[in-house]
Coordinates of all heavy atoms in Angstrom, one line a residue:
C1 N 0.8 -1.2 0.1 CA 0.0 0.1 -0.1 C 0.8 1.2 0.0 O 0.4 2.4 0.1 CB -0.9 0.0 1.2 SG -2.3 -1.2 1.1
L2 N 2.2 1.2 -0.1 CA 3.0 2.3 0.1 C 2.9 3.3 -0.9 O 2.8 4.5 -0.5 CB 4.6 1.8 0.3 CG 4.8 1.0 1.6 CD1 6.2 0.5 1.6 CD2 4.4 1.6 2.9
D3 N 2.7 2.9 -2.2 CA 2.6 4.0 -3.1 C 1.2 4.7 -3.1 O 1.2 6.0 -3.2 CB 2.5 3.4 -4.6 CG 4.0 2.9 -5.1 OD1 4.9 3.3 -4.5 OD2 4.1 2.1 -5.9
K4 N 0.2 3.9 -2.7 CA -1.1 4.7 -2.4 C -1.0 5.6 -1.2 O -1.6 6.7 -1.2 CB -2.2 3.6 -2.2 CG -2.4 2.7 -3.4 CD -3.8 1.9 -3.2 CE -3.6 0.8 -2.1 NZ -4.8 -0.1 -2.1
I5 N -0.2 5.2 -0.2 CA -0.1 6.1 1.1 C 0.6 7.4 0.7 O 0.2 8.4 1.2 CB 0.5 5.3 2.2 CG1 -0.3 4.0 2.6 CG2 0.8 6.3 3.4 CD1 0.4 3.0 3.5
R6 N 1.7 7.3 -0.1 CA 2.4 8.5 -0.5 C 1.5 9.5 -1.2 O 1.4 10.6 -0.8 CB 3.6 8.1 -1.5 CG 4.6 7.3 -0.8 CD 5.8 7.1 -1.8 NE 6.9 6.2 -1.1 CZ 6.9 4.8 -1.3 NH1 6.0 4.3 -2.2 NH2 7.8 4.2 -0.7
E7 N 0.6 9.0 -2.1 CA -0.4 9.8 -2.8 C -1.4 10.3 -1.8 O -1.7 11.5 -2.0 CB -1.0 9.1 -3.9 CG -2.1 9.9 -4.8 CD -2.6 9.1 -5.9 OE1 -2.1 8.0 -6.2 OE2 -3.5 9.6 -6.4
I8 N -1.9 9.5 -0.9 CA -2.9 10.0 0.0 C -2.3 11.2 0.8 O -2.9 12.1 1.1 CB -3.5 8.9 0.9 CG1 -4.3 7.9 0.0 CG2 -4.3 9.2 2.1 CD1 -4.5 6.5 0.6
A9 N -1.3 10.9 1.5 CA -0.5 11.7 2.3 C -0.3 13.2 1.7 O -0.4 14.2 2.5 CB 0.8 11.2 2.9
E10 N 0.1 13.2 0.5 CA 0.3 14.5 -0.1 C -0.9 15.2 -0.3 O -0.9 16.5 -0.3 CB 1.0 14.3 -1.5 CG 2.3 13.8 -1.6 CD 3.4 14.8 -0.9 OE1 3.0 16.1 -1.0 OE2 4.2 14.4 -0.1
Q11 N -2.2 14.6 -0.3 CA -3.4 15.3 -0.6 C -4.2 15.3 0.7 O -5.5 15.7 0.6 CB -4.2 14.6 -1.7 CG -3.4 14.6 -3.1 CD -4.2 13.9 -4.2 OE1 -5.3 14.5 -4.5 NE2 -3.7 12.8 -4.7
L12 N -3.6 15.0 1.7 CA -4.3 15.1 3.1 C -3.6 15.9 4.1 O -3.0 15.5 5.0 CB -4.5 13.7 3.7 CG -5.7 13.4 4.7 CD1 -7.0 13.7 4.1 CD2 -5.5 11.9 5.2
P13 N -3.5 17.3 3.8 CA -2.6 18.1 4.6 C -2.8 18.2 6.0 O -2.0 18.5 6.8 CB -2.7 19.5 3.8 CG -4.1 19.4 3.2 CD -4.2 18.0 2.7
S14 N -4.0 17.8 6.4 CA -4.4 18.0 7.9 C -3.7 16.9 8.8 O -3.5 17.2 9.9 CB -6.0 17.7 8.0 OG -6.3 16.4 7.5
A15 N -3.3 15.8 8.0 CA -2.6 14.8 8.8 C -1.2 15.1 8.9 O -0.3 14.9 8.1 CB -2.8 13.5 8.0
H16 N -0.7 15.6 10.1 CA 0.6 15.9 10.5 C 1.5 14.7 10.6 O 2.8 14.8 10.6 CB 0.8 16.9 11.5 CG 0.2 16.4 12.9 ND1 0.7 15.4 13.6 CD2 -0.9 17.1 13.5 CE1 -0.1 15.3 14.7 NE2 -1.2 16.1 14.7
T17 N 0.8 13.6 11.0 CA 1.6 12.3 11.3 C 0.9 11.1 10.5 O -0.3 11.0 10.7 CB 1.6 12.1 12.7 OG1 2.1 13.2 13.5 CG2 2.4 10.7 13.0
V18 N 1.8 10.4 9.7 CA 1.3 9.2 9.0 C 2.0 8.1 9.6 O 3.3 8.0 9.5 CB 1.5 9.4 7.5 CG1 1.0 8.1 7.0 CG2 0.8 10.5 6.9
V19 N 1.3 7.2 10.4 CA 2.0 6.1 11.1 C 1.9 4.9 10.3 O 0.8 4.4 10.0 CB 1.3 5.9 12.5 CG1 2.0 4.8 13.2 CG2 1.2 7.1 13.3
I20 N 3.0 4.3 9.9 CA 3.1 3.1 9.1 C 3.1 1.9 10.0 O 4.1 1.8 10.7 CB 4.3 3.0 8.0 CG1 4.2 4.4 7.2 CG2 4.1 1.9 7.2 CD1 2.9 4.6 6.4
C21 N 2.0 1.1 10.0 CA 2.1 -0.1 10.8 C 2.5 -1.3 10.0 O 2.0 -1.6 8.9 CB 0.6 -0.3 11.2 SG 0.0 1.0 12.2
P22 N 3.4 -2.1 10.5 CA 4.1 -3.3 9.9 C 3.2 -4.4 9.6 O 2.5 -4.8 10.7 CB 5.2 -3.6 10.6 CG 5.0 -3.1 12.0 CD 4.1 -1.9 11.8
Y23 N 2.9 -4.9 8.5 CA 2.0 -6.1 8.3 C 2.8 -7.0 7.3 O 3.0 -8.1 7.6 CB 0.7 -5.8 7.8 CG -0.4 -6.9 7.7 CD1 -0.2 -8.0 8.5 CD2 -1.4 -6.7 6.9 CE1 -1.1 -9.1 8.4 CE2 -2.4 -7.8 6.8 CZ -2.2 -9.0 7.6 OH -3.1 -9.9 7.5
L24 N 3.1 -6.5 6.2 CA 4.0 -7.2 5.2 C 5.4 -7.2 5.6 O 6.2 -8.1 5.2 CB 3.9 -6.6 3.8 CG 2.4 -6.6 3.2 CD1 2.6 -6.2 1.7 CD2 1.8 -7.9 3.3
G25 N 5.8 -6.2 6.4 CA 7.1 -6.1 6.9 C 8.2 -5.6 5.8 O 9.3 -6.0 5.7
L26 N 7.7 -4.6 5.0 CA 8.4 -4.1 3.9 C 9.5 -3.2 4.4 O 9.4 -2.5 5.5 CB 7.5 -3.3 3.0 CG 6.3 -4.1 2.4 CD1 5.5 -3.2 1.5 CD2 6.9 -5.2 1.4
D27 N 10.6 -3.1 3.7 CA 11.8 -2.3 4.0 C 11.5 -0.8 3.8 O 10.7 -0.5 2.8 CB 13.0 -2.7 3.2 CG 13.6 -4.1 3.5 OD1 13.2 -4.5 4.7 OD2 14.1 -4.7 2.7
N28 N 12.0 0.0 4.6 CA 12.0 1.5 4.4 C 10.5 1.9 4.1 O 10.3 2.5 3.1 CB 12.9 2.0 3.3 CG 14.3 1.6 3.4 OD1 14.8 1.7 4.4 ND2 14.9 1.0 2.4
P29 N 9.6 1.5 5.0 CA 8.2 1.9 4.7 C 7.8 3.4 4.7 O 6.6 3.8 4.1 CB 7.4 1.0 5.7 CG 8.4 1.1 7.0 CD 9.8 0.9 6.2
T30 N 8.6 4.1 5.4 CA 8.2 5.6 5.4 C 8.8 6.4 4.3 O 8.5 7.7 4.2 CB 8.7 6.2 6.8 OG1 10.0 6.1 7.0 CG2 7.8 5.4 7.9
E31 N 9.7 5.9 3.5 CA 10.4 6.6 2.5 C 9.4 7.3 1.5 O 8.5 6.7 1.0 CB 11.2 5.6 1.7 CG 12.2 6.4 0.6 CD 13.1 5.4 0.0 OE1 13.3 4.3 0.4 OE2 13.6 5.8 -1.1
G32 N 9.7 8.6 1.5 CA 8.9 9.4 0.5 C 7.5 9.7 1.1 O 6.6 10.3 0.3
I33 N 7.1 9.4 2.2 CA 5.7 9.7 2.8 C 5.7 10.9 3.8 O 6.6 10.9 4.8 CB 5.3 8.4 3.6 CG1 5.1 7.3 2.7 CG2 3.9 8.8 4.4 CD1 4.5 6.0 3.3
R34 N 5.1 11.9 3.4 CA 5.0 13.2 4.1 C 4.7 12.9 5.6 O 3.4 12.3 5.7 CB 4.1 14.2 3.4 CG 4.1 15.6 4.1 CD 3.2 16.5 3.6 NE 1.7 15.9 3.7 CZ 1.0 15.9 4.9 NH1 1.6 16.5 5.9 NH2 0.0 15.4 4.8
G35 N 5.4 13.2 6.5 CA 5.0 13.1 8.0 C 5.1 11.6 8.3 O 4.5 11.3 9.5
G36 N 5.8 10.8 7.6 CA 5.8 9.3 7.9 C 6.6 8.9 9.1 O 7.8 9.5 9.4
V37 N 6.1 8.0 9.9 CA 6.8 7.5 11.0 C 6.3 6.0 11.2 O 5.2 5.7 11.0 CB 6.6 8.3 12.3 CG1 5.1 8.4 12.7 CG2 7.4 7.8 13.6
T38 N 7.2 5.2 11.7 CA 6.8 3.7 11.9 C 6.1 3.7 13.2 O 6.3 4.6 14.0 CB 8.0 2.8 11.9 OG1 8.9 3.0 12.9 CG2 8.8 2.9 10.4

């Protein structure tokens, strides 16, 4: 879902924090995600 989250985060300016929850266990999950934090 990471590509979709990048797009959503850019168009959801109210969200100052985007918390990425591990499920698939992908590497570097917050890369390129505005406000991203694991």
Side-chain angles (χ1 to χ4, degrees):
C1 290
L2 296 180
D3 287 342
K4 295 192 289 184
I5 295 167
R6 291 185 188 98
E7 183 177 343
I8 291 164
E10 288 300 321
Q11 298 182 64
L12 202 61
S14 62
H16 55 64
T17 303
V18 179
V19 184
I20 305 301
C21 300
Y23 187 21
L24 301 186
L26 301 178
D27 293 333
N28 305 314
T30 61
E31 184 177 347
I33 295 176
R34 185 189 59 78
V37 60
T38 66

